[in-house]
Amino acid sequence: MMNILPTGAAMLMAAGLAFSTHTSAQAQDASCEIDRPVMFAGLNYDSALFHNAVARFIIEKGYGCQTDALPGDVIPLLTGAGKGDIDVVMEIWRDNVADAWKKAEAAGNVTQIGVNFDDAVEGWFVPRYVIEGDKERGIEPMAPDLKSVDDLPKYAKLFEDAEEPNKGRFYNCPAGWVCEKVNSAKLVAYGLDDSFTNFRPGTGAALSAAIASAHKRGEPALYYYWGPTWVMGLYDSYRLEEPAYDQSIFDKLKTDTNPKKATAYPESTVTVGVNTEFMKSAPRLIEFLTHYETSNAMVSEMLAYMQENEEKPEDAALYFLKEKPDVWKAWVPEKVAERVEAAL
């Protein structure tokens, strides 16, 4: 006796079979090259966390791999990459890289495989309204002729440090960051160490919060910062002029605590770095990571979205993948893109 299913049930059964077959085929196509999780450097700042989230989603959904991240500070994680504890570092600031990476690279344990973005900016900034004012907010220019670090001595009072009212406050990087050493040396070289305090916030988040607070209140602030970041995406900042970049002078700033000369930060190229043993074992993933390419403005836009909407890096990554398919699809083969898009 033939068992005849109702038409709707038959269609559902057929659809289920088709979905099962498609999923199985996807799983076969997306077999990972390595039999362990791909370990990312969980650098503790927003842009690196965003890149990690984007790359991990693509690797998991498009290539069928497991991923993980080891959170920490720059130097320990770069050291870990040299030892093989870390497979992928999504941000290697090539012109300002820590010695731990240089040593591992010289030993052949790590390498840089592609340019993530080549228009990163670093420098000393003030809110643009400090110089130009902001009519919409009713803010008059506070220092209309402030253009250069050479102009700062006469504006120490404007950037008054509440804890040392006879000095201005310069917001430096947290202690332990390479930029903290460079900025501290610059204060000396520019002759500003007597008129400005060298204020080092405890974390990168604390530095961002101080800058955001000043902008929201329309108050003056002098700070080091970099892009791409949500701060640069949300707040219009003016970069003060410095002597033109000179690599030999800049390199000395990292070690010399009493320099006579200083120079501007370079416009940095930020690369993707990997452990060389991982590179040998995962050529398909290396091809993807080599093609991974963004820009300062693009990432600042995503980080501003993350900040304004109080989203996590993983949420910003999903937003990016949904909103900018023309960008990320250029990084991967068509079948990988199809699997990622299906997962979205």
Side-chain angles (χ1 to χ4, degrees):
M1 180 178 176
M2 184 178 288
N3 184 16
I4 300 176
L5 291 169
T7 304
M11 290 177 65
L12 285 170
M13 189 173 183
L17 180 62
F19 179 78
S20 175
T21 303
H22 178 63
T23 303
S24 175
Q26 276 194 324
Q28 291 174 0
D29 289 345
S31 57
C32 189
E33 296 170 294
I34 58 176
D35 58 1
R36 59 172 181 78
V38 179
M39 184 63 72
F40 281 75
L43 296 165
N44 59 356
Y45 53 92
D46 291 337
S47 60
L49 293 172
F50 166 76
H51 289 301
N52 276 7
V54 172
R56 289 180 65 182
F57 190 92
I58 291 174
I59 288 174
E60 289 177 7
K61 307 303 181 185
Y63 291 89
C65 298
Q66 294 180 317
T67 71
D68 201 352
L70 182 64
D73 293 322
V74 174
I75 294 174
L77 290 175
L78 296 186
T79 301
K83 294 179 177 179
D85 300 327
I86 299 293
D87 296 314
V88 183
V89 185
M90 290 302 294
E91 286 197 11
I92 298 293
W93 288 63
R94 192 167 68 189
D95 300 299
N96 199 19
V97 69
D99 288 339
W101 181 268
K102 291 180 180 178
K103 290 176 182 177
E105 202 165 34
N109 297 328
V110 296
T111 189
Q112 299 173 57
I113 59 170
V115 175
N116 188 336
F117 47 93
D118 62 3
D119 55 351
V121 295
E122 295 179 84
W124 290 17
F125 295 88
V126 298
R128 188 172 295 276
Y129 57 73
V130 166
I131 298 170
E132 300 177 5
D134 187 334
K135 289 184 179 180
E136 290 185 6
R137 299 177 65 188
I139 300 173
E140 294 294 326
M142 306 172 197
D145 60 345
L146 174 58
K147 305 296 181 185
S148 162
V149 293
D150 293 335
D151 301 322
L152 285 172
K154 61 184 176 184
Y155 288 111
K157 186 66 178 175
L158 178 65
F159 301 105
E160 183 179 272
D161 188 325
E163 297 175 9
E164 293 189 49
N166 61 326
K167 290 186 176 184
R169 172 177 286 191
F170 169 70
Y171 285 96
N172 200 343
C173 300
W177 292 18
V178 174
C179 51
E180 183 270 331
K181 295 180 181 179
V182 172
N183 290 328
S184 296
K186 284 188 178 191
L187 280 170
V188 174
Y190 292 146
L192 298 172
D193 51 326
D194 290 331
S195 52
F196 283 82
T197 60
N198 186 3
F199 186 83
R200 305 169 181 87
T203 64
L207 174 61
S208 304
I211 296 167
S213 177
H215 277 268
K216 289 175 182 176
R217 297 178 182 183
E219 296 176 347
L222 171 65
Y223 47 91
Y224 163 87
Y225 220 72
W226 71 96
T229 52
W230 66 264
V231 168
M232 292 291 109
L234 281 180
Y235 302 118
D236 192 4
S237 298
Y238 180 95
R239 182 165 60 171
L240 296 178
E241 296 172 4
E242 299 181 66
Y245 173 68
D246 182 304
Q247 185 175 347
S248 62
I249 295 175
F250 186 81
D251 288 343
K252 291 177 183 177
L253 295 175
K254 299 175 185 179
T255 55
D256 190 349
T257 58
N258 191 31
K260 304 302 180 187
K261 293 182 179 180
T263 182
Y265 281 93
E267 188 166 284
S268 297
T269 294
V270 177
T271 63
V272 177
V274 297
N275 175 271
T276 49
E277 289 302 315
F278 168 74
M279 183 175 69
K280 295 172 187 174
S281 63
R284 291 172 62 223
L285 296 183
I286 292 300
E287 183 181 13
F288 153 57
L289 292 168
T290 301
H291 287 98
Y292 188 107
E293 184 178 0
T294 61
S295 70
N296 181 7
M298 186 188 304
V299 178
S300 290
E301 177 191 347
M302 292 300 113
L303 299 181
Y305 164 83
M306 188 168 81
Q307 180 69 18
E308 285 190 300
N309 295 281
E310 298 182 351
E311 300 278 21
K312 295 179 180 179
E314 293 76 14
D315 299 315
L318 289 175
Y319 177 76
F320 169 81
L321 291 167
K322 291 175 182 177
E323 294 295 316
K324 300 192 181 291
D326 55 320
V327 175
W328 65 263
K329 284 184 178 181
W331 306 339
V332 296
E334 186 176 350
K335 285 190 176 296
V336 173
E338 289 174 358
R339 289 192 289 268
V340 172
E341 201 155 43
L344 292 170

